[in-house]
Each structure stands twice: as C-alpha cells, then as structure tokens.
Amino acid sequence: MPSPRSPQSPQSGKQRDAFFDNAKYLAIVLVAIGHAWEPLKGDSRILEGVYTVVYTFHMPAFIIISGFFSRSFDMRPSRLKRLITGVAVPYIVFETAYPLFKRVIDDAPEQEISLLDPWYLTWFLCALFLWRLTTPIWKMIRWPLPVALGLAMAASVSPEIGDDLDLQRVLQFLPYFVLGLCVKPEHFQMVRRRSVRILSVPVFAVALAVGWWAVPRMNTAWFYHRDAAQELGVPWWVGPVMVLAMFGCSLLLTACFFAWVPRRHMWFTALGAGTLYGYLLHGFVVKAGMYEGWFDHAWLHRPLGEIFVTVLAAIGVTLLCTGPVQRVFRFAMEPKMDWAFRQDAAQAARDRRTSEPADAGASAGQGGNGDGDSGRDDRRGNGGGKRETARV
C-alpha cells in the first residue's frame, strides 16, 4: 500500500518513478476487485480460486511498497506530524464514518463506534501507524526480517492477543513491511527483468490451479492474517508453519506481479498518487451494495455477472483515485492542521535565517526602485511548499 503521505520519497528532488505509481494503482484495483468478489465467490469455485490467488499477493505488494517508502522515517517532528495528519487522522475519521454509514444505510442503530477495533478497511491505517512508529527499531537491529517473522509466528499461536487494534493483522503482516524497509531499488530492478516476466506466466498458472484445488480444502481465513491457529480450529503448530508458507508464496507471487507492472508512464500512472482515496472510499460502495442487496441478483452470480462486477469495481476505484475526488476529500485524508502543532524550534531558526537576507533585499529594493511591496507579494505567493500527495 503505497502508504499515505510517505515520510520522504526515495526520489526526492527527482521525477517520480512511474513503476511505483503504476504498482500502487494496479494493487488498489485488485483490492477493490477482491472486495467486490466477496459476496459472489461462494457460488463459483473458479472465482474463489482466483480470489485466493489475488489475496495471496495484493496486500503484501501494497505493504512492501509502504515499507520501501518508509525507509527515511525517523522521530523528527516533521515526520511525526505527517504520520499524525496522514495516517492517524484519516484512521479516526473513517473508523467513525464506516460505523455511522452502517447505522444509516443498514438501519443498524446498535452498531458501535470504537477506535480500538478497526472496522473493515481501516485496519491498514492502524497497522501502518504502528509499523512506522517502530521503523527506527527495525533499521537499528541486525536481523530485522527474521525477528519480524518470529513475531508473526508467535502471534499465530496467541489467540489471547484479541481484536484490539487488530494486532493479529499488525503482527502477521509485519514481515512484509520490514521487508520493504530492507529492500533496495536494485531489488525491484531484478524482478522487472524480461526473464522474470516470462517465468511469472507459468508461476501464475500453477498458482491458479492450486487455488482452484485448495478451495474445498483450505480455510480462506488464512489469507486475511487476522486469526490465530487455534481460532481456525487447527493445532497450534500449524500457525507458524502457515506463516512461513504464506510468506514464501506471497513473495513469489508479489515478485511475479511486480514483473508485469509497466515501467513507463501510462494513462493511469498519475492515479497512483491517489490510491489512499480509492482504498478508503471504495469500501462505502461495496458495503452499500451488501446492505442494499445489490449482489443478490441471480445473474451477478453467473460468469457474465462476475465479469461485470469485476469491470465495475475496477472503473469505480479508478474514478475514486482521480484529482476531483482528491480535492473533495483532502480535508479528511491530508488535513494541514498547522494549528494543532507547535512550531519546531530548529525549523523556526532556519526560517529566520532564511528570511533575514530576503528582508534586507526587500528593504534595499524598496529604497532603490519603489517596487518593494511587489517583491514581498511575490514571495508570499510562491513561498508555500508543495504538500506531499497521499500514497497508499
């Protein structure tokens, strides 16, 4: 996921890498399609097989990219401010909005609002907040990925963790975020080679066959990473084994997915910067369909209907990533909130040092040619920095 308001792009001062924007857009399309398939997959073994394959890699790909763009995170006030306004505030807004939406649309006044129990899509924001806060630790220790895998395996045998903050998901998906912190740009170059792209075709074919075979034999809940082994009715030791097995399968299919992501600028590349909007907003459409019975029509449970839902989900989430939607909902996704924070003393000192020569120049200009006021107006018009676009 592409992460909301990454602390600092690895390409700071350079042109955005189209590959990552393309990957984020395609990943969010798969997320939306997967959610649209949920009400339909029970009637089609083929669709449920494809669903399990998609769920094997679409969130891991999202999370690996989020970790990659979190490598520069530290505890500086500016970074913490972006973490609060770009992750914590949207979490609070949408963790409140989704239950209220259910109350109104589904006529469920008993639906509770709780900031401790992430609802539907908001678990990712909660997880991302916690992952980013621990980023300095993962950058400090010698073997971050084995430690993260150990924590995920321990979580898989610990049902007492409970549902607060969706900690099962936070811990079981943690290795993918830590892997993103560890990878380098050249690792993405490796999976984008033509040979990898060719090899990915039979890999995906085998994965689809295994997905079809596993439908009646495997609990789909393993792909959600939200339950301990005991909660799924299997012996405790199955949990660590499945964590490692799912991690290996997810990495393989994620590499195959990255191999097919276009490297050049495409018509949808610009939408990659708005994937947070598509992620958080498409859930209202999917949930409305479930509450209102849109998925109950029999023809939607046939092959042509499933294709129709797939195309509609892709188009819908694409529209939700566009500029007009971003402008409408920026107040909730990327609020400035300067009023809520004290100014960093070090930054204030730098600003004063920068402004002193400019003020001296303005005074000289005012005395020499009479257009000093115009110079000050120009500085006010151009002095604001560009706010970083949300990423998911």
Side-chain angles (χ1 to χ4, degrees):
M1 243 107 275
S3 54
R5 302 181 64 178
S6 300
Q8 181 178 344
S9 170
Q11 299 91 16
S12 294
K14 302 180 182 179
Q15 186 177 4
R16 291 175 65 98
D17 190 335
F19 168 80
F20 290 106
D21 281 333
N22 292 337
K24 288 185 292 181
Y25 167 76
L26 294 174
I28 197 61
V29 168
L30 290 175
V31 169
I33 289 174
H35 289 151
W37 281 346
E38 286 181 12
L40 309 176
K41 64 183 179 67
D43 297 322
S44 171
R45 182 172 177 176
I46 293 177
L47 182 63
E48 186 159 2
V50 177
Y51 174 90
T52 58
V53 172
V54 169
Y55 263 71
T56 304
F57 71 89
H58 75 334
M59 282 310 298
F62 218 66
I63 295 168
I64 288 171
I65 295 176
S66 296
F68 180 73
F69 280 96
S70 298
R71 294 176 302 160
S72 62
F73 183 84
D74 52 33
M75 291 299 180
R76 277 186 283 177
S78 60
R79 302 278 168 80
L80 292 173
K81 176 182 175 182
R82 285 197 292 269
L83 181 64
I84 292 171
T85 58
V87 180
V89 171
Y91 171 75
I92 294 171
V93 170
F94 284 88
E95 181 66 6
T96 303
Y98 269 111
L100 289 176
F101 183 76
K102 179 177 175 61
R103 285 185 182 183
V104 174
I105 303 300
D106 198 28
D107 191 21
E110 72 283 356
Q111 177 63 49
E112 295 181 353
I113 298 175
S114 172
L115 297 181
L116 296 179
D117 188 11
W119 206 84
Y120 198 34
L121 305 174
T122 58
W123 73 267
F124 177 73
L125 293 178
C126 178
L128 184 61
F129 184 85
L130 297 174
W131 292 335
R132 279 219 180 127
L133 278 181
T134 61
T135 292
I137 298 175
W138 300 114
K139 292 162 61 178
M140 179 181 64
I141 63 178
R142 182 169 295 178
W143 300 292
L145 187 56
V147 172
L149 281 169
L151 288 174
M153 294 165 67
S156 71
V157 298
S158 305
E160 60 273 10
I161 288 178
D163 297 327
D164 288 350
L165 299 180
D166 230 341
L167 286 179
Q168 277 289 354
R169 270 179 166 162
V170 172
L171 293 174
Q172 291 195 37
F173 274 116
L174 174 64
Y176 303 99
F177 181 81
V178 174
L179 177 63
L181 293 174
C182 298
V183 298
K184 296 178 173 58
E186 51 265 33
H187 294 133
F188 289 100
Q189 293 289 344
M190 291 173 59
V191 300
R192 289 154 63 180
R193 292 180 299 184
R194 185 170 181 269
S195 57
V196 179
R197 192 177 303 118
I198 293 173
L199 288 173
S200 68
V201 176
V203 170
F204 268 124
V206 171
L208 290 170
V210 172
W212 181 88
W213 173 85
V215 167
R217 298 174 174 86
M218 184 177 178
N219 191 336
T220 309
W222 287 111
F223 298 92
Y224 305 145
H225 300 274
R226 66 187 179 196
D227 299 299
Q230 296 91 323
E231 295 173 297
L232 297 179
V234 296
W236 68 268
W237 58 265
V238 177
V241 172
M242 287 300 295
V243 166
L244 294 177
M246 293 294 294
F247 186 73
C249 293
S250 296
L251 287 191
L252 178 61
L253 292 183
T254 299
C256 293
F257 167 71
F258 285 148
W260 281 97
V261 172
R263 286 177 275 185
R264 64 185 184 278
H265 194 280
M266 307 291 289
W267 64 266
F268 54 79
T269 301
L271 301 176
T275 47
L276 174 64
Y277 294 81
Y279 177 79
L280 290 175
L281 294 174
H282 86 273
F284 290 104
V285 181
V286 174
K287 285 297 183 182
M290 293 179 178
Y291 299 153
E292 297 295 328
W294 298 347
F295 295 99
D296 295 340
H297 298 286
W299 68 275
L300 291 178
H301 295 255
R302 302 189 185 103
L304 287 180
E306 294 163 358
I307 294 172
F308 172 79
V309 170
T310 301
V311 173
L312 195 62
I315 294 173
V317 76
T318 297
L319 294 175
L320 293 175
C321 293
T322 57
V325 174
Q326 293 182 43
R327 286 191 289 272
V328 171
F329 290 97
R330 184 163 284 133
F331 75 95
M333 310 282 197
E334 302 176 86
K336 282 188 174 181
M337 295 184 62
D338 293 335
W339 54 268
F341 300 96
R342 296 177 180 176
Q343 187 174 14
D344 181 16
Q347 183 62 44
R350 286 193 293 269
D351 292 342
R352 283 196 297 271
R353 287 196 298 269
T354 302
S355 63
E356 285 172 0
D359 291 342
S363 299
Q366 187 175 15
N369 56 23
D371 59 357
D373 288 340
S374 175
R376 284 194 295 272
D377 290 341
D378 288 343
R379 283 194 300 276
R380 281 196 295 267
N382 297 326
K386 293 182 179 179
R387 296 179 62 239
E388 191 170 0
T389 305
R391 299 184 181 96
V392 155

